Amino acid sequence: MGYGIKLRVWGEYACFTRPEMKVERVSYDVMTPSAARGIFEAIHWKPAIRWVIDRIHVLNPIRFENIRRNEVESKASGRKKVIYAAEERQQRASLVLKNVQYIIEAHFELTEQSGEEDTAEKHYNIFLRRARQGQCFHRPYFGNREFPVNFDLLEEDAEMMKYSNVHTGEIDLGYILLDQTYHVNDDGETVEVIPHFFRARMINGVIEVPKLQEVNR
């Protein structure tokens, strides 16, 4: 296990889309572990490390809001390099989370691609420096790029105590997306994407995140 890190993240809106909703976007009640991992990767990621989410603290009340957004019908690809937004624009309703705030506890593990120079201490210090200065490879977001993430590093346990959870007792949140694994062919093309879910329970505002290998047993 790598060094543990605690990051507070917050924003005005979030949408962690439920995969079973095909037409209109509907968010899970809370942030998914894969979305949390994406925030850490936006701040610091190299092939030598793999981020693992340990737990998520839900600090604010869970509130939803209906909004309508303009989206384009298709995506750019190798065959379709140009999209004319005026011709393909369509409105979609979305049920999104409003005024979200979380504390994410995570650690990283060294991968098989790490070299002699890739020590845990080195990557830990790189992340601390970048997080303290608000640096990131790209602006992290809550599910959709139009919902940007604000973040700051919690370096002492006393700093966590300032952000008390508003939730008490145990809440069964149902099955939530944990992560996805990708199978590629010999040409490096993704041929299969397998989603993995876990039964999320929030106890006094805290969600313990299982390891992927535990879910797959």
Side-chain angles (χ1 to χ4, degrees):
M1 177 180 290
Y3 294 83
I5 293 174
K6 301 179 181 67
L7 198 68
R8 183 175 72 97
V9 297
W10 70 97
E12 185 177 3
Y13 290 105
C15 186
F16 310 110
T17 306
R18 305 182 71 99
E20 66 269 29
M21 304 299 182
K22 300 297 185 181
V23 179
E24 309 298 346
R25 298 186 187 277
V26 177
S27 178
Y28 283 115
D29 290 18
V30 296
M31 168 191 285
T32 62
S34 57
R37 177 169 51 81
I39 294 173
F40 278 78
E41 290 177 346
I43 298 171
H44 175 60
W45 178 85
K46 295 291 182 183
I49 65 173
R50 178 189 302 112
W51 285 104
V52 179
I53 305 302
D54 298 313
R55 59 190 58 85
I56 298 172
H57 301 249
V58 184
L59 302 183
N60 289 0
I62 298 172
R63 294 173 179 161
F64 287 91
E65 182 173 314
N66 278 296
I67 64 173
R68 297 193 69 85
R69 300 180 298 162
N70 289 323
E71 300 183 7
V72 292
E73 185 176 356
S74 60
K75 296 181 179 179
S77 64
R79 295 182 177 179
K80 187 172 185 178
K81 299 182 181 297
V82 178
I83 295 177
Y84 296 98
E87 297 177 2
E88 301 193 34
R89 183 184 295 116
Q90 57 183 358
Q91 273 205 340
R92 281 189 177 180
S94 299
L95 186 62
V96 303
L97 294 167
K98 182 175 176 59
N99 189 26
V100 298
Q101 183 176 205
Y102 308 97
I103 291 176
I104 309 169
E105 294 188 54
H107 70 276
F108 61 86
E109 300 171 347
L110 295 177
T111 70
E112 62 279 358
Q113 299 187 55
S114 60
E116 293 183 359
E117 73 284 358
D118 291 305
T119 65
E121 183 178 8
K122 169 188 172 181
H123 287 285
Y124 175 70
N125 287 324
I126 290 174
F127 183 90
L128 291 186
R129 183 178 67 251
R130 292 179 63 83
R132 287 167 181 157
Q133 298 175 357
Q135 295 178 329
C136 47
F137 294 115
H138 63 82
R139 181 71 180 270
Y141 51 89
F142 285 125
N144 296 134
R145 292 187 183 276
E146 59 264 47
F147 302 148
V149 169
N150 303 295
F151 64 88
D152 62 15
L153 184 68
L154 302 181
E155 302 190 60
E156 303 290 342
D157 289 340
E159 293 181 337
M160 281 194 65
M161 299 302 294
K162 296 189 300 184
Y163 304 101
S164 59
N165 296 323
V166 300
H167 305 278
T168 58
E170 180 174 344
I171 301 175
D172 188 341
L173 298 170
Y175 284 96
I176 289 181
L177 179 67
L178 174 62
D179 214 330
Q180 298 182 119
T181 53
Y182 300 84
H183 291 181
V184 299
N185 58 22
D186 294 337
D187 297 326
E189 299 174 333
T190 300
V191 294
E192 186 179 18
V193 180
I194 302 177
H196 304 275
F197 299 86
F198 75 106
R199 191 65 176 263
R201 290 179 171 83
M202 184 170 65
I203 302 176
N204 295 329
V206 182
I207 302 168
E208 295 285 341
V209 180
K211 304 296 185 291
L212 186 60
Q213 55 269 28
E214 296 174 356
V215 173
N216 292 334
R217 287 175 185 171

